[in-house]
Amino acid sequence: MPAQGGRATAWAELLRLPALFTVPGDALAGAAAAGVRPGPRTLLAIGSSLCLYEAGMALNDWADRAEDAVERPHRPLPSGRIRPAAALTAAGALTGAGLALAAGAGRPALAVAAPLAATVWAYDLALKHTPAGPVAMAAARGLDLLLGAAATGGGTRAALPSAALLGTHTLAVTAVSRRETTGGSALAPLAALATTGVLTRLVTHRRTRLPAGRRAAAAPGLPGSSPAARPPGAAGALATALGAAYAATAARPYVHAALNPSPPLTQRAVGGGIRATIPLQAALAARSGSAVTSLLVAALAPAGRAFAKRAGMRKVSIT
């Protein structure tokens, strides 16, 4: 039993299970941006996203096993708790499962999931340690949001602005993460702090504009109109509150890392950026006029904290 428990813990570390709570919000925010309520195909998109995300985590550690043996010897592969071949096999199987789930959500979803999977593999195997690395990570997160839009509503055009905002946040976090083990750079945390400020303003100060289908459904006197579908009074206030939560979650550790760019504070800044993904996703959903979806996404944050605390995995990295 202890060996089985240790093996399960090793896989939980390899797959960064607490970070999984940041994934469903991509598809949900994408569905909200497309102006469609989440449905069974949204669930398939979430399943696809989770599989592809975990594939990236396993592949990341397989590709970095030599570097981790020097800089992070406690990780599952360099410590010998998981064999490299097992991690690579898991990455391949999870990628296949992710594509199969996307195919179940329809051809538009698969058309987004395929380049998303390719981006994940390209990042881990070739781009991670190049200047294109943060851009590739940002593209993957943006595509993940578009996957939710494609699966739920069949189109992605309306979701492009939300994907760009989420991708920009991911770009900033990834840029900071490149100095997790060495520290020494105040520039990346400062840039991430500035980016957080800009994104907060865009999410909280832009007037929500509903897609045409939802605007028509929200017109007074028409069948199907409801308070949740009307132009954003509550949703606008919710977007403001969640935007503030996003800024509060990300900004403080960025400031600390900028003032003292040591490895521990840089790692905390990365963790703060990862945690801030959820309130940003929720704010994007509210910005699109989907208050219920926004609250559903926001609830993932305390659930993720509770899981991480219970599992004893408070520190999560994307590298």
Side-chain angles (χ1 to χ4, degrees):
M1 286 296 285
Q4 290 181 351
R7 187 172 180 82
T9 300
W11 278 101
E13 291 179 22
L14 178 75
L15 299 175
R16 303 346 184 244
L17 290 188
L20 277 182
F21 289 85
T22 71
V23 177
D26 290 347
L28 291 170
V36 184
R37 291 180 180 178
R41 291 189 175 184
T42 314
L43 293 178
L44 288 172
I46 291 173
S48 175
S49 297
L50 291 171
C51 287
L52 294 176
Y53 187 89
E54 293 292 48
M57 293 296 100
L59 186 63
N60 174 83
D61 281 21
W62 180 84
D64 286 353
R65 60 195 186 280
E67 175 185 328
D68 285 347
V70 177
E71 297 183 349
R72 307 174 182 93
H74 60 280
R75 283 190 167 178
L77 267 62
S79 65
R81 290 176 290 156
I82 295 177
R83 292 181 296 107
L88 183 60
T89 300
L94 286 164
T95 300
L99 293 174
L101 288 168
R107 293 178 65 181
L110 181 59
V112 177
L116 171 57
T119 302
V120 169
W121 281 72
Y123 172 82
D124 283 331
L125 297 182
L127 301 177
K128 180 179 177 180
H129 299 293
T130 72
V135 177
M137 182 71 85
R141 188 62 92 160
L143 284 168
D144 203 33
L145 187 146
L146 295 179
L147 175 59
T152 307
T156 58
R157 180 175 297 181
L160 287 174
S162 291
L165 293 176
L166 184 60
T168 300
H169 166 73
T170 305
L171 177 68
V173 178
T174 308
V176 175
S177 74
R178 291 162 77 90
R179 291 296 191 100
E180 270 190 309
T181 58
T182 61
S185 173
L187 181 60
L190 283 174
L193 182 63
T195 300
T196 300
V198 172
L199 291 177
T200 301
R201 180 168 181 81
L202 289 174
V203 169
T204 59
H205 286 75
R206 278 194 175 185
R207 183 177 180 181
T208 306
R209 183 177 181 180
L210 298 178
R214 183 176 287 163
R215 287 200 302 271
L222 288 182
S225 63
S226 66
R230 288 190 180 125
L238 190 57
T240 300
L242 289 167
Y246 160 67
T249 303
R252 185 176 179 180
Y254 286 155
V255 170
H256 290 168
L259 293 175
N260 179 12
S262 63
L265 290 182
T266 301
Q267 290 164 16
R268 289 183 187 177
V270 174
I274 294 173
R275 290 190 298 274
T277 301
I278 295 178
L280 177 58
Q281 293 162 335
L284 290 172
R287 181 175 180 265
S288 299
S290 299
V292 174
T293 300
S294 175
L295 291 172
L296 180 62
V297 174
L300 292 169
R305 287 195 298 270
F307 177 86
K309 185 176 182 179
R310 185 173 181 179
M313 297 174 60
R314 302 301 296 273
K315 187 182 294 186
V316 178
S317 171
I318 57 176
T319 61

